[in-house]
Amino acid sequence: MKRKAIISGFSKLSREEKMEKMGELTGSAEQIKTQLDSFRLQNKEQQDLLDDISENTLSNFYLPFGVAPNFLINNHLYHIPMVIEESSVIAAASRSAKFWASHGGFTARVVSVVKSGQVHFIWKGDSEKLNDLLPELKFDLYQATKEITRNMRQRGGGIQGIQLVNRTDEMESYYQLHVTFDTADSMGANFINSCLEKMAQQMKRFFKQYEGLSDLERECEVIMSILSNYTPDCLVECSVECSLDELDEIHPGLSGKEFAAKFQKASKIAELDVYRAATHNKGIFNGIDAVALATGNDFRAIEANGHVYASQSGKYKSLTHASISHNRFRYQLTMPLSLGTVGGLTSLHPLAKFGLELLGKPSAKELMMITAAAGLANNFGALRSLVTTGIQQGHMKMHLSNLLNSLKADYEEKKQALEYFAHKTVSYSEVEAFIKSLRTKLQ
Ligand code: MEV
């Protein structure tokens, strides 16, 4: 590999030229081109579409698109699309979904759908005066954003409120306009940011032109205008519940009562211990992110949101809670989820579009409930394994095909390995030894 040097004007080069540049660095332009080209779509229209989604696109990076079937949510059956690289996630979601489908299913409810954004600004006048100016300022801000909000208002959304937040105690002359939104079925990031930027411009103009203000009061320094990915008021709850007897079938040698008690302790540990809480919540996001990707939603925003919510008490905790009462086991997930089913990638990306079709073209609220159920299912599956067999048994079984592929096993070798490891513990060294033994037999 050659020494790396700054590349100027990379985005202006054609795709061929970009690949040549990459080739100059590795000394194998032809190889790079062949490899990157092999992952491009035959369908030119669809490939052009993917190329335009991001900057400097050279090829496509494939991830498995699968389905976790049989999610009974509020008495409605869904087969949930998931995009994920971790081999055991869809298997775990499907296993939990199947179990709960015959034990009452998932019950889900959208608690609220409010999103927000902020204009952060510096104003050096007297805060009392700012409060006095607020009603007029707000009126101006609503007027200024009328055009941008028209379509959204027709779809039942729009700006819900504008609040002035005084943070001058924490930073000199620092205020926020905290604006709340209903973005209907869209995630709404572009809509919110457009509104906020328009408000920021209008606010500067308002102070500049307001009669009777001093020179100091006419100056408003806008620091930034941006949506918040923390949406504690865009909240969904999802739970499963059954009698302790119904859990008898979960694991041989463990009664339903014993299983529930152990499960509850494991869940409590994730409320008490931050190291465990991170892993526990990661297991929830295994399901959530996979649905987010399969439906064209922004999984980074979803994660940031969930993690802040998990820390809202001042300590990072699990997003779930288990309880046992009157011989019944109940497990609940409560978390904010800001999702969209229109706009953005949801209709642009052919597979995201298909994912949403598979779910029956849900509203954003419905998708919140479906996604939460996937998160709860994955987390239930993880805890179920952790408190019974341990996680590695299932994980390594699912990982077996990855190991076989990394050892370049052919069809016959894979077949024999699957049979051999059906009831054995899988590890890299064991699989490697097995494949070696098959190959030496053949020599
Ligand atoms: C692995 O991707 C997720 C788990 O670690 C989650 C958990 O520990 O709860 C199995």
Side-chain angles (χ1 to χ4, degrees), residues 185-242:
D185 279 329
S186 68
M187 193 267 192
N190 281 330
F191 168 71
I192 294 178
N193 288 333
S194 300
C195 286
L196 293 171
E197 288 190 2
K198 189 77 189 174
M199 284 183 179
Q201 285 166 7
Q202 183 59 32
M203 183 166 63
K204 279 177 85 73
R205 207 172 300 133
F206 175 89
F207 287 115
K208 192 124 273 153
Q209 293 172 353
Y210 200 90
E211 291 211 353
L213 293 185
S214 67
D215 285 350
L216 188 77
E217 290 161 346
R218 278 181 207 282
E219 276 312 310
C220 166
E221 186 193 4
V222 171
I223 305 294
M224 59 188 162
S225 314
I226 185 74
L227 93 166
S228 172
N229 283 126
Y230 181 41
T231 65
D233 293 318
C234 187
L235 201 69
V236 60
E237 279 173 8
C238 182
S239 60
V240 285
E241 184 176 345
C242 69

Side-chain angles (χ1 to χ4, degrees), residues 2-62:
K2 284 194 190 155
R3 241 189 91 219
K4 299 223 172 56
I6 296 284
I7 306 175
S8 314
F10 190 68
S11 66
K12 309 228 165 44
L13 302 179
S14 68
R15 193 179 77 86
E16 305 297 322
E17 289 166 334
K18 284 176 189 142
M19 287 195 294
E20 258 166 48
K21 274 262 177 258
M22 295 293 101
E24 282 168 21
L25 292 174
T26 59
S28 58
E30 263 321 293
Q31 212 181 331
I32 283 194
K33 189 172 160 13
T34 312
Q35 191 170 19
L36 292 179
D37 279 351
S38 73
F39 288 101
R40 287 176 68 80
L41 302 178
Q42 298 295 323
N43 182 324
K44 183 172 175 331
E45 203 184 319
Q46 291 201 337
Q47 185 57 60
D48 286 349
L49 204 144
L50 291 179
D51 284 347
D52 286 348
I53 285 177
S54 179
E55 173 112 320
N56 295 340
T57 310
L58 299 181
S59 187
N60 306 310
F61 186 101
Y62 292 166

